[in-house]
Amino acid sequence: MPRIAYVNGRYLAHRDATVHIEDRGYQFADGVYEVCEVAQGFIVDMTRHLDRLNRSLNELAIGWPLHRSALVTVMREVIRRNRVANGLVYLQVTRGVAPRDHAFPPAGTRPSLVVTAKKSDPVAAAAKAEGGVKVITVAENRWDRVDIKTVGLLPNVLAKQQAREKGAHEAWFVDAGGNVTEGASTNAWIVTRDGVLVTRPAEHGILRGITRTTVFDVARKHGLAIEERGFSVEEAWTAREAFITSATSIVMPVVAIDEHSVANGQPGSIAISLRAAFFDVAEKSPA
Ligand code: PDD
């Protein structure tokens, strides 16, 4: 079955779906994006994802390409046309197409919108979670507005590639003070020996992950304590558990950091239970 993508008002065969060479997303990474999980025919945490999209757009003074409700209709249509029951829906909004000039284009330039959807294999994801994943650490080298979900992801791309070359799943950025900020495409967590969940505050230095926010809800429901604070790589080595969160990995246990095993090198029980309980707590919008 051919994949279908939405590009600026049209549903196109994925292989023919293109944007203009002077799209500012292409030339300047002048755009933002969201990735929502689709699970069992539902869009997971759509309200939170669209609220964050709104924030990202506002921070960069990019307008909505469509009314929010029309965007939801497009997301559903792309999911339907690609017959995605489990997978993800991706949306990208850029400042639009204009002759190349660093300053903003003339008022009235229409933001560009691309929406795609892709299937994933929940059985393979579950198998991955059963084994857990390895992460490496890299020096933080990003700008200080990583709270905005922009498509300017070059440091993240390079970090992820370094992880792949070392046989790891993710790279954790470490700031000048020795504290973990977040992963190349995930938020980073540990569980202390006392069973307290620790993750960095989201005011700055990290993206406020939607999965992170919903894991807070899951933890509260299950009576788990949370501390929002930085943690060092050394603390993570000796933690009871470590894990990462994102829309594409939900809660994924981390079993090794660089050459150090976390605890006994097996996925931790708290990460496993947060993963199991996640879908019950998350918002589910029919796709
Ligand atoms: N990445 N931190 C970064 C840098 C991210 O890129 C992401 C998401 C997260 C987790 O956010 P959320 O829980 O809302 O997915 C944290 C997406 C999945 C991506 O780029 O593909």
Side-chain angles (χ1 to χ4, degrees):
M1 194 199 70
R3 284 182 69 196
I4 303 293
Y6 173 94
V7 184
N8 294 326
R10 297 197 296 161
Y11 294 92
L12 302 169
H14 194 272
R15 64 175 175 278
D16 302 325
T18 54
V19 293
H20 194 275
I21 56 168
E22 287 198 310
D23 190 283
R24 291 180 62 94
Y26 179 63
Q27 293 198 321
F28 296 116
D30 188 1
V32 301
Y33 75 106
E34 280 297 326
V35 180
C36 305
E37 188 201 7
V38 179
Q40 299 171 31
F42 295 96
I43 304 173
V44 177
D45 283 330
M46 185 176 73
T47 304
R48 284 178 172 166
H49 280 282
L50 293 182
D51 287 351
R52 186 174 63 186
L53 176 66
N54 186 50
R55 178 179 183 277
S56 297
L57 290 169
N58 286 340
E59 291 295 316
L60 300 182
I62 298 175
W64 274 76
L66 294 174
H67 192 274
R68 181 164 166 152
S69 60
L71 176 56
V72 171
T73 303
V74 171
M75 289 166 69
R76 291 207 170 108
E77 188 61 17
V78 172
I79 291 166
R80 189 187 70 75
R81 288 187 189 221
N82 290 282
R83 300 197 191 142
V84 174
N86 294 290
L88 61 85
V89 58
Y90 175 87
L91 22 146
Q92 177 170 327
V93 182
T94 75
R95 204 180 301 277
V97 176
R100 187 173 183 279
D101 177 2
H102 288 66
F104 288 3
T109 302
R110 283 213 326 270
S112 299
L113 172 63
V114 168
V115 181
T116 59
K118 194 167 85 174
K119 292 179 188 178
S120 65
D121 178 359
V123 177
K128 188 159 208 171
E130 267 170 42
V133 298
K134 283 176 62 175
V135 305
I136 62 162
T137 55
V138 297
E140 179 63 88
N141 61 352
R142 299 175 300 160
W143 74 327
D144 62 4
R145 291 309 311 273
V146 295
D147 57 300
I148 309 172
K149 197 163 172 61
T150 82
V151 295
L153 292 172
L154 194 48
N156 310 58
V157 165
L158 297 177
K160 188 75 90 175
Q161 179 60 21
Q162 231 177 294
R164 290 288 149 79
E165 286 171 9
K166 291 188 171 159
H169 174 80
E170 180 60 302
W172 279 0
F173 290 110
V174 179
D175 68 16
N179 282 338
V180 174
T181 54
E182 64 180 332
S185 63
T186 58
N187 288 120
W189 301 67
I190 56 169
V191 181
T192 67
R193 302 241 164 136
D194 304 330
V196 178
L197 302 179
V198 179
T199 195
R200 192 180 177 103
E203 276 63 48
H204 57 87
I206 68 164
L207 180 76
R208 188 185 291 275
I210 301 305
T211 318
R212 174 186 181 280
T213 302
T214 299
V215 165
F216 275 47
D217 296 342
V218 179
R220 274 186 216 106
K221 190 176 156 194
H222 290 259
L224 295 167
I226 305 170
E227 256 178 55
E228 278 185 277
R229 62 165 173 86
F231 60 85
S232 68
V233 180
E234 290 74 17
E235 185 177 2
W237 288 342
T238 56
R240 178 160 133 188
E241 299 186 23
F243 62 91
I244 53 178
T245 57
S246 75
T248 46
S249 62
I250 308 301
V251 177
M252 184 59 69
V254 169
V255 294
I257 302 165
D258 294 320
E259 297 315 316
H260 301 257
S261 291
V262 177
N264 63 356
Q266 298 296 315
S269 59
I270 292 179
I272 290 170
S273 58
L274 290 170
R275 182 181 178 89
F278 185 86
F279 192 63
D280 293 337
V281 174
E283 178 200 47
K284 294 166 282 286
S285 308

